[in-house]
Amino acid sequence: MRTVFHEQLHSLTVTLSRMCGLAGLVMERATDALLHGDLQLAEQVIADYEELAQMRSDAEEAAFVLLALQAPVAGDLRIVVGCMQNVADAERMGGLARHVAEIVRRRHPDRTLPTQVNGVFAEMGRIAVDLGNSAKEVVLSRDPEQAAQIGRDDAEIDRLHQHLFTLLKDDGWGHGVGTAVDVALLGRFYERFADHAVEIGRRVIFQATGEPFDA
């Protein structure tokens, strides 16, 4: 029975890893759509999110089966419960990428971003994708140090997010209120995407050590 349990638990963990990787890929596509005003790519992102949502549903069902039939305790229980929470975070990461794509679709055929902030969003997108890939790796490795690095890498997203607000408040901002609202929302989507990756990393640390982690 324990062999079956650990096989099922490994399968759940692999699904979570795939979800984190897919969330990163979806955000990469959303960023490309944002930077280039690509409606077709934005539509693909919105469709890709549905796959993530289905994966979450399937993973949560598998986790409930493990809890009901295997009654795990101690470290095994931490892993199962942590996986349930992490699949929710991974799905929300994909949802935030979908929000980016929806703004692109709403503004098409116009470009969403003024040239002034293109570089900031390109960098935020790059870091967000890296964080998604880091989460993909750490849920399999359960390496506490690797997981803690996600929190440290998140600091750069926070810095860029704050920089956007500096630009928006500058007297030289000449792109109107509507564009400012879009930029503020988009910055928040990237910042929250990173926060969910950080939460996954924190839970991996707790799963591995039994100790809560505060960055």
Side-chain angles (χ1 to χ4, degrees):
M1 288 294 290
R2 301 309 295 171
T3 299
V4 171
F5 169 77
H6 285 292
E7 287 175 351
Q8 292 173 331
L9 184 57
H10 177 69
S11 178
L12 177 60
T13 304
V14 168
T15 296
L16 171 59
S17 176
R18 288 179 55 221
M19 288 182 69
C20 292
L22 181 56
L25 175 61
V26 172
M27 183 54 95
E28 182 177 25
R29 290 172 175 166
T31 302
D32 285 344
L34 177 65
L35 295 175
H36 301 105
D38 189 327
L39 179 61
Q40 183 176 356
L41 194 54
E43 296 286 7
Q44 182 178 350
V45 169
I46 294 166
D48 286 341
Y49 167 74
E50 296 304 322
E51 180 181 353
L52 260 175
Q54 185 59 53
M55 290 174 73
R56 173 183 177 175
S57 178
D58 293 344
E60 287 179 336
E61 181 178 350
F64 282 127
V65 169
L66 280 175
L67 290 173
L69 300 183
Q70 302 292 347
V73 295
D76 287 342
L77 180 61
R78 285 201 305 270
I79 293 172
V80 175
V81 173
C83 281
M84 291 175 67
Q85 295 170 313
N86 283 344
V87 297
D89 276 302
E91 182 265 335
R92 289 171 188 143
M93 289 163 72
L96 289 159
R98 180 191 63 180
H99 291 334
V100 173
E102 286 171 340
I103 289 182
V104 174
R105 182 172 65 179
R106 186 163 66 246
R107 295 303 178 197
H108 187 79
D110 296 327
R111 291 287 185 92
T112 306
L113 297 178
T115 304
Q116 183 180 358
V117 296
N118 268 358
V120 178
F121 279 98
E123 185 64 6
M124 291 181 82
R126 182 192 66 78
I127 297 169
V129 172
D130 286 347
L131 289 173
N133 288 332
S134 293
K136 174 185 176 180
E137 294 171 4
V138 300
V139 298
L140 292 177
S141 70
R142 294 185 192 147
D143 182 336
E145 176 56 32
Q146 190 180 15
Q149 186 61 44
I150 294 177
R152 293 190 286 269
D153 292 342
D154 171 60
E156 184 62 13
I157 283 271
D158 291 337
R159 185 191 69 78
L160 291 166
H161 187 222
Q162 288 302 312
H163 179 58
L164 281 176
F165 282 102
T166 300
L167 295 174
L168 291 174
K169 291 185 292 184
D170 190 273
D171 291 340
W173 179 264
H175 306 289
V177 174
T179 299
V181 170
D182 281 347
V183 168
L185 280 173
L186 287 162
R188 178 62 171 163
F189 296 154
Y190 282 90
E191 189 260 345
R192 287 299 299 148
F193 182 99
D195 285 347
H196 286 298
V198 170
E199 287 302 313
I200 291 171
R202 286 175 173 166
R203 291 194 193 97
V204 167
I205 293 171
F206 181 62
Q207 289 171 337
T209 67
E211 297 293 331
F213 173 77
D214 292 316

